[in-house]
Amino acid sequence: MNDWEPKITTFLCNWCSYGAADLAGVSRFQYPPNFRVIRVPCSGRVGPKFILAAFRHGSDGVWVSG
Amino acid sequence: MELTQYLLDLSGIGRNRLQVRWVSAAEGQLFAEYVTEVSDITQKLGPFDPDKFELPLAAVERTLNSARIRWLLGLTKQITEQGNVYNEKLKKEDFKKMLHRAAEEEYQKALIMQVLEERPLSVKEMAEKTGLAVYTVSLRLNELERCNQAGLKQYSGNAPIFMGM
């Protein structure tokens, strides 16, 4: 069980979290690698359809961040 | 967002699979912390099997697309802040409760519509497929019939067979 890695789809806002993710990388903070990032122009654009589609395509979790 | 999480709970997928976190572009450290947090939460929940949850997922989507839910969501601000046509204002908690009740009903209807899409079924078969109680199915089916979304197709023996329209 412990070697199982969750697949998490993240919707990141271009202007906020995507920048934060970039900064986290540049400043070399350590964080788990099991994220698939989708950059959206604004997290307000993320609707329920996106989230359900992510689940349907087999992600174990969805994270919306803006 | 809140409603989607509520529906995920209803459908047995669990609201924790969907997380929302706000991070500004200047908060790299915070972002890294959230990544770890969300990753831990999902790790605890274990793998998600989309095939097993195909029906609930489709029903959740149908619910969120339903006219009733979209109307209600669109009216949130008006009803809680300005009042309806009778100048009655609902408290935020009351509105949420009402929205949840509506969502639950719509979700049950969506489940029924979803299984009827495959082929016409009797009430008992619908109850088996959706996991709803027979009584709940007949209540929702009644509402669907009134809106012309489902109807009687034929009789098999004594049991009426219904179809989606």
Side-chain angles (χ1 to χ4, degrees):
Chain A
M1 191 63 205
N2 275 339
D3 52 359
W4 175 74
E5 291 281 346
K7 237 188 288 169
I8 300 167
T9 307
T10 57
F11 293 98
L12 301 186
C13 158
N14 185 19
W15 311 107
C16 313
S17 312
Y18 199 82
D22 208 14
L23 185 62
V26 170
S27 356
R28 302 206 195 168
F29 296 124
Q30 293 285 330
Y31 57 81
N34 35 30
F35 281 74
R36 313 289 191 274
V37 176
I38 296 172
R39 174 163 65 159
V40 287
C42 170
S43 45
R45 178 63 184 86
V46 178
K49 269 203 172 154
F50 291 25
I51 295 161
L52 296 172
F55 280 125
R56 207 169 285 144
H57 287 94
S59 54
D60 300 304
V62 175
W63 174 20
V64 183
S65 189
Chain B
M1 248 5 247
E2 202 282 327
L3 189 69
T4 310
Q5 285 185 319
Y6 175 73
L7 282 166
L8 286 180
D9 256 353
L10 265 188
S11 59
I13 295 168
R15 66 166 60 222
N16 283 339
R17 289 202 186 267
L18 172 60
Q19 298 285 333
V20 194
R21 296 281 189 289
W22 307 117
V23 194
S24 100
E27 300 168 323
Q29 176 77 60
L30 188 68
F31 180 81
E33 278 166 29
Y34 282 158
V35 171
T36 318
E37 192 190 330
V38 175
S39 171
D40 284 347
I41 293 172
T42 316
Q43 180 93 44
K44 260 188 222 134
L45 288 170
F48 174 75
D49 180 7
D51 295 333
K52 209 176 115 199
F53 285 101
E54 207 184 316
L55 173 65
L57 276 175
V60 169
E61 184 163 351
R62 201 182 262 265
T63 311
L64 288 163
N65 279 335
S66 70
R68 184 172 175 201
I69 295 302
R70 295 184 60 156
W71 264 102
L72 276 175
L73 280 178
L75 287 173
T76 309
K77 265 218 139 87
Q78 202 186 331
I79 293 180
T80 55
E81 282 170 24
Q82 292 156 20
N84 62 10
V85 284
Y86 305 109
N87 269 331
E88 293 165 343
K89 243 192 270 181
L90 268 184
K91 275 194 226 130
K92 281 215 167 92
E93 308 90 74
D94 292 340
F95 182 78
K96 203 170 128 184
K97 260 188 224 159
M98 196 246 307
L99 188 62
H100 280 186
R101 206 170 47 232
E104 193 177 351
E105 286 174 12
E106 287 301 315
Y107 176 68
Q108 292 166 344
K109 279 198 235 172
L111 276 175
I112 294 174
M113 286 305 288
Q114 202 63 37
V115 293
L116 280 182
E117 217 159 66
E118 279 173 41
R119 66 184 176 87
L121 294 165
S122 73
V123 172
K124 209 174 154 201
E125 287 170 318
M126 279 183 249
E128 268 165 29
K129 284 206 172 192
T130 55
L132 299 170
V134 174
Y135 181 61
T136 319
V137 172
S138 58
L139 277 181
R140 298 296 156 253
L141 197 60
N142 209 294
E143 285 162 22
L144 287 172
E145 276 186 287
R146 241 181 293 155
C147 306
N148 272 333
Q149 286 179 289
L152 186 65
K153 180 156 191 270
Q154 68 199 49
Y155 280 91
S156 124
N158 273 334
I161 307 285
F162 292 92
M163 61 177 179
M165 310 228 250

